[in-house]
Amino acid sequence: MDGGSDEQIDVRSVVEAVSADLSFGAPLYVVESMCMRCNENGTTRFLLTLIPHFRKVLISAFECPHCGERNNEVQFAGEIQPRGCCYNLEVLAGDVKIFDRQVVKSESATIKIPELDFEIPPEAQRGSLSTVEGILARAADELSALQEERKKVDPKTAEAIDQFLSKLRACAKAETPFTFILDDPAGNSFIENPHAPSPDPSLTIKFYERTPEQQATLGYVANPSQAGQSEGSLGAPSAKTAYVPNGTVGATAGHRAIAQSNSTSISDNLFRYSAPEEVMTFPSTCGACTEPCETRMFVTKIPYFQEVIVMASTCDSCGYRNSELKPGGAIPDKGKKITLSVRNITDLSRDVIKSDTAGVIIPELDLELAGGTLGGMVTTVEGLITQIRESLARVHGFTFGDSLEESKKNKWREFGARLTKLLSLEQPWTLILDDELANSFVAPVTDDIKDDHQLTYEEYERSWDQNEELGLNDIDTSSADAAYESTETTKLP
């Protein structure tokens, strides 16, 4: 880098720029900083930029003219995502191209290679923008950095590290198959899918709810004593727990808000009125500020579907609102596939309940989203397509990056245009919801669901692998069944 034309500024100016809103055309900031290798002064360059369809990031690069030390780092200037993400990349022996995939590793992400029992914790490698090959090479370089000194002090440990390095370099040359796992509780990491928007046979993505420990690591709970007090308040009985008397005023408004998937409207209607069912009020903790708040819950029956549990929370301290819809009752014996032929604007307004386990398929676009990709939601057909478009743009971050080939850019542009055309109804298309737990629903437009010829429901037997993934194979209710039968036998005269 030629620093002659770069303006030297102080650290305060950079901090103020980082705190400001990011926009394209942001200048390059250069700050004088000390080299940690030779203790001389080098230069650090900061660039605030927005990766299209991914995140706001702060890219920094350090270079020391005295000893040649160089490094780079990526920090995220945007918000922490609602859920964590875990990328699982299967690397086959001889597949060299897979090492060129771009990888964004945030400062909270962990990298694992189970076959080597190898793990790179968040503090070992800070946020970086690299490739699969680059991350493995950097790990090998850092492990071998002090090998000569280690051989003099602890020969056995040095020999063990040499053996491990040979295995790691074999993986980096695609001589042996391995699994590359990128787990980020903040949800800000990414592995490129060169086949996007089509599914990648080598890459699986899972989104998950963060544990309390992960929440604390990310800074959601700053004071552990505060977390203890919040947990204590949940465990203790409260005088606020009560059943609201039945009423009829808010039933229609509440159900309409649920159908429109409007969290604010759901909270407003549930807290203003009473539904025909009993509404239970109980204390909880705000997921944003950890202050005590109030949650209301009631059970209702959706026609042609099943019993569901609706929960709405609001926080008076920070104004955070949230609503959830959970399936009620027992786990169905069979899965369900819902097929809807979308032909007119009325079909776009159909209510849709998509559970966490439901996959979405649109055959006309060769689009298939695995279960859990979008999470659970209550929306419409139009809202679901909009969510898919936004989710694809967010997950596949380097859609229009400078390093992407022009052919792939055109492929993405074409797919985006085709996805948008679905809402214009230029031609009929098909929406398929495949739910292993049969907890999804598409509303009919007729009084009798059998008269809706555009909507079909198909039940199927789950495979052993599907039950295993859902944890159903490990459920053993024999003891409970025996106890229930013995109780019933005792009651008989």
Side-chain angles (χ1 to χ4, degrees), residues 236-465:
S238 174
K240 287 187 178 180
T241 304
Y243 286 96
V244 180
N246 292 344
T248 58
V249 180
T252 303
H255 289 167
R256 185 187 303 115
I258 294 169
Q260 294 175 350
S261 186
N262 189 323
S263 299
T264 303
S265 299
I266 292 174
S267 300
D268 289 342
N269 284 289
L270 286 184
F271 276 81
R272 183 177 180 183
Y273 301 111
S274 299
E277 299 81 0
E278 288 184 327
V279 179
M280 183 179 181
T281 305
F282 56 91
S284 59
T285 303
C286 176
C289 67
T290 71
E291 289 293 325
C293 65
E294 198 172 66
T295 297
R296 291 198 174 189
M297 176 184 72
F298 75 94
V299 180
T300 187
K301 179 73 168 64
I302 297 179
Y304 305 112
F305 185 41
Q306 65 182 33
E307 189 177 76
V308 296
I309 302 171
V310 183
M311 303 176 66
S313 303
T314 184
C315 179
D316 295 332
S317 300
C318 67
Y320 175 76
R321 294 172 180 267
N322 182 43
S323 64
E324 294 181 76
L325 188 142
K326 300 291 185 181
I331 296 176
D333 296 329
K334 298 180 179 180
K336 182 182 292 184
K337 179 180 289 186
I338 306 172
T339 304
L340 173 65
S341 178
V342 182
R343 301 176 184 174
N344 50 57
I345 194 170
T346 304
D347 295 328
L348 295 179
S349 302
R350 290 178 186 247
D351 294 332
V352 174
I353 297 177
K354 179 196 171 299
S355 74
D356 293 334
T357 56
V360 181
I361 303 172
I362 302 178
E364 288 78 4
L365 298 183
D366 293 329
L367 174 65
E368 181 176 350
L369 300 180
T373 303
L374 299 176
M377 64 176 64
V378 183
T379 182
T380 61
V381 174
E382 181 180 7
L384 180 61
I385 297 302
T386 302
Q387 288 282 349
I388 290 174
R389 182 172 56 193
E390 294 175 355
S391 176
L392 288 176
R394 180 180 64 83
V395 173
H396 302 291
F398 295 97
T399 306
F400 297 108
D402 296 335
S403 61
L404 194 67
E405 299 176 3
E406 191 64 28
S407 59
K408 293 184 178 180
K409 288 184 181 180
N410 294 333
K411 179 182 177 182
W412 264 105
R413 293 191 184 103
E414 180 184 353
F415 177 80
R418 292 170 61 193
L419 189 61
T420 304
K421 284 183 179 179
L422 295 181
L423 300 180
S424 62
L425 296 174
E426 295 183 7
Q427 59 184 8
W429 53 280
T430 307
L431 174 65
I432 301 175
L433 295 181
D434 190 350
D435 193 346
E436 300 170 355
L437 290 181
N439 287 328
S440 295
F441 171 74
V442 176
V445 293
T446 58
D447 293 335
D448 191 343
I449 195 172
K450 297 180 181 179
D451 296 334
D452 191 342
H453 302 296
Q454 296 176 230
L455 183 64
T456 59
Y457 286 80
E458 176 188 350
E459 292 186 340
Y460 60 88
E461 295 287 345
R462 287 188 294 267
S463 65
W464 188 92
D465 292 334

Side-chain angles (χ1 to χ4, degrees), residues 80 185 210-224 227 231 290:
I80 295 175
R210 288 184 283 265
T211 63
E213 291 78 11
Q214 291 172 332
Q215 295 273 30
T217 302
L218 296 175
Y220 273 120
V221 183
N223 188 355
E231 293 173 359
T290 71

Side-chain angles (χ1 to χ4, degrees), residues 60-80:
S60 62
F62 173 80
E63 182 179 16
C64 178
H66 303 282
C67 67
E69 171 71 6
R70 301 179 66 180
N71 60 62
N72 62 76
E73 184 178 344
V74 175
Q75 295 181 353
F76 294 91
E79 70 280 358
I80 295 175

